[in-house]
């Protein structure tokens, strides 16, 4: 019964991860469209696209965090080499995304502080 509960919980967390990433994609598409409209209006700046990338990356990272939690539960329930490989791959992707996103956010903060 505990295994069934953990499998169901892992599935629910995976769906939450999917919803977070999907929501981030929709927010990103809307921000991208607004950015392109600004390009036609002449109010476009490179910081707009950087902010879009940082925001979208944040949604991706949050979705990956939930996916890691789900994969950990699946690995506890069925500890196979395939599950461990998937978990390792997701952790590596999340780490790489986090490093580049943090770099991007730091550059944005520096650019904003230079404007003041």
């Amino acid at each position: 019964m505990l295994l069934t509960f953990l499998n169901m919980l892992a599935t629910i967390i995976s769906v939450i991860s999917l919803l977070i990433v999907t929501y981030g994609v929709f927010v990103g598409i809307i921000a991208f469209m607004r950015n392109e409209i600004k390009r036609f209006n002449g109010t476009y700046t490179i910081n707009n696209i950087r902010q879009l990338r940082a925001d979208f990356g944040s949604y991706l990272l949050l979705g990956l965090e939930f996916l890691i939690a789900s994969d950990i539960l699946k690995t506890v329930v069925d500890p196979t080499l395939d599950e461990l490989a998937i978990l390792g791959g997701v952790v590596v992707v999340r780490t790489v995304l986090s490093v580049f996103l943090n770099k991007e956010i730091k550059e944005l903060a520096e650019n904003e502080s230079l404007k003041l």
Side-chain angles (χ1 to χ4, degrees):
M1 184 165 158
L2 179 64
L3 293 178
T4 305
F5 173 74
L6 288 176
N7 274 328
M8 185 176 296
L9 185 61
T11 302
I12 290 169
I13 293 172
S14 292
V15 169
I16 291 170
S17 171
L18 176 68
L19 292 173
I20 290 170
V21 172
T22 303
Y23 178 75
V25 167
F26 286 131
V27 169
I29 288 171
I30 291 169
F32 175 75
M33 297 304 285
R34 285 183 181 163
N35 192 44
E36 290 304 305
I37 290 171
K38 287 181 181 181
R39 186 183 303 261
F40 292 122
N41 292 342
T43 58
Y44 172 83
T45 65
I46 193 69
N47 285 339
N48 292 346
I49 199 74
R50 284 184 166 178
Q51 186 64 45
L52 168 63
R53 288 175 58 195
D55 291 344
F56 182 62
S58 297
Y59 284 109
L60 288 179
L61 284 176
L62 182 61
L64 282 173
E65 292 288 341
F66 277 88
L67 192 59
I68 289 170
S70 169
D71 285 341
I72 288 172
L73 286 175
K74 288 178 185 175
T75 303
V76 168
V77 171
D78 184 23
T80 64
L81 286 177
D82 289 339
E83 289 294 327
L84 287 172
I86 290 170
L87 179 60
V90 170
V91 168
V92 167
V93 168
R94 188 246 176 252
T95 302
V96 169
L97 275 174
S98 180
V99 166
F100 286 110
L101 180 63
N102 285 332
K103 180 183 173 197
E104 189 81 22
I105 290 172
K106 185 178 177 182
E107 288 176 3
L108 277 171
E110 288 173 0
N111 285 344
E112 289 298 318
S113 66
L114 290 176
K115 286 182 179 179
L116 298 175

